[in-house]
Amino acid sequence: IKRGLLGRCPHCGKGKLFRAFVKSVDKCEVCGEELHHHRADDLPAYLVIVIVGHIVVGSFMAVEAATTLSTWQHALIWVPLTIILAVALLQPVKGA
Ligand SMILES: [Zn+2]
């Protein structure tokens, strides 16, 4: 899981796991481990939704309870944070 989170081959830990954002390589360029048959389907996206949802909704509720920000101020904080976290976590979660 740790090697996958880092985008590295699960067998040797040196070769790259992805050739594009979420496209995995067919086999490891270092050790030759075949990786084409490991299909994640939609699970990484579901896990990212759960993780980001807990971070963003929990943070929103804490900030909302402690401050008096307007709706627009909340939107300017939480919408970009949600997009950034989702994009940043998708590849590591798929690798894991
Ligand atoms: Zn390898």
Side-chain angles (χ1 to χ4, degrees), residues 7-85:
R8 295 296 167 190
C9 168
H11 184 246
C12 67
K14 294 177 182 163
K16 289 182 180 177
L17 193 55
F18 296 100
R19 61 181 159 86
F21 181 54
V22 288
K23 296 279 187 188
S24 59
V25 295
D26 288 337
K27 67 178 188 174
C28 177
E29 62 190 14
V30 175
C31 70
E33 177 77 10
E34 291 188 8
L35 301 166
H36 61 85
H37 57 288
H38 293 290
R39 296 189 53 201
D41 292 325
D42 294 336
L43 182 62
Y46 293 132
L47 293 175
V48 167
I49 289 168
V50 169
I51 295 166
V52 172
H54 279 81
I55 292 170
V56 171
V57 173
S59 299
F60 163 76
M61 292 173 71
V63 170
E64 175 67 14
T67 65
T68 57
L69 295 178
S70 70
T71 303
W72 277 108
Q73 289 170 315
H74 278 294
L76 288 174
I77 295 169
W78 306 117
V79 171
L81 182 65
T82 302
I83 294 169
I84 290 167
L85 283 174

